[in-house]
Amino acid sequence: MSREKGILKESTLDSYLESRGVSRRGFLKFCSAMAATLALPASFADKAAAALAADNRPPVIWLEFQDCAGDTESLLRASRPSAAELILDYLSVDYHETIMAAAGHQADQALEQTVEKYKGKYICIVEGSIPVNKNGIYCMVGGKTALATTKEVCGNAAAVICVGTCSSYGGIAAASPNPTGAKGVRDIISNVPIVNLPGCPMNV
C-alpha cells in the first residue's frame, strides 16, 4: 500500500495485508487494540479499520523534546474535534511517542520510514525546546539528540508546527542561565515553513 499525492494507489488494503501475512481477523484485532490504547469504546475499532482502509490523510510526525507533554495532554482532552476524530478522520499520525502503540526499535523504524517515504510531504509537529549546548546531549531519544532529530525530521518536512511556547521560543527551559542552550525550532531550521502556536499549553 502506498500514497500518491495523498491518495492510495490501486492496491487494496486487503491485498497488501495478505502479502505481509496479516489476516483480516488479525487486522481487526489490531484495530481493537488501538481503540483500547486510546481508551476508546470498542465500537471505534470498526471506525479505525475503515479509516485505515481508505487512508487519504496527510502523514504527521509529532516530536517531543524538552517539554512537560502539556500540549499532548491538551490534544488528548480536546473535544471539537476530539483526538479520536483527528487521528481517525483527518490525520495519519505515523509517529507520536505518547499515543503510539509501538515502542523502542519499532517506534524508531516508524519514524525513519515516514521521513524516507514521505520526504517533503509530511507535517512535523514539535513539542518542547531543543537543547544545543554540548552538541545537544541534554535531550536524546532513541540514541539520537533532539538537535540531530530536529535537523533531519523538520528539515525534510513540508511544514513544521511548533505547539507551545517551548518549541516556539525555548520556553521555561531557555530562561537564564539556560544551561542546556534550549532553543525554539525557528532558531535551528529555516528551510521549511514554520508556524508557531505558543502557549502553555497552546489552545486553538
Side-chain angles (χ1 to χ4, degrees), residues 46-176:
D46 291 337
K47 191 171 184 180
L52 289 169
D55 194 359
N56 58 2
R57 300 162 298 158
V60 171
I61 294 173
W62 186 303
L63 302 173
E64 289 189 70
F65 297 130
Q66 289 188 134
D67 72 319
C68 64
D71 294 287
T72 291
E73 293 294 338
S74 179
L75 171 72
L76 294 176
R77 287 161 176 71
S79 58
R80 298 179 184 176
S82 67
E85 289 173 318
L86 279 172
I87 294 168
L88 295 175
D89 297 337
Y90 302 110
L91 303 172
S92 175
V93 183
D94 295 354
Y95 181 89
H96 189 313
E97 295 169 16
T98 304
I99 66 173
M100 67 193 303
H105 295 301
Q106 291 179 325
D108 293 340
Q109 187 176 34
L111 176 60
E112 292 169 4
Q113 288 178 344
T114 302
V115 172
E116 181 179 345
K117 189 173 183 180
Y118 304 120
K119 185 175 182 179
K121 298 178 181 178
Y122 61 85
I123 298 168
C124 183
I125 298 174
V126 181
E127 179 176 5
S129 61
I130 301 96
V132 300
N133 286 355
K134 296 188 178 180
N135 294 318
I137 64 167
Y138 293 105
C139 182
M140 299 186 74
V141 179
K144 290 184 178 180
T145 65
L147 180 59
T149 299
T150 299
K151 290 179 178 178
E152 178 185 2
V153 180
C154 295
N156 287 299
V160 177
I161 301 175
C162 299
V163 292
T165 302
C166 293
S167 60
S168 296
Y169 309 117
I172 293 174
S176 181

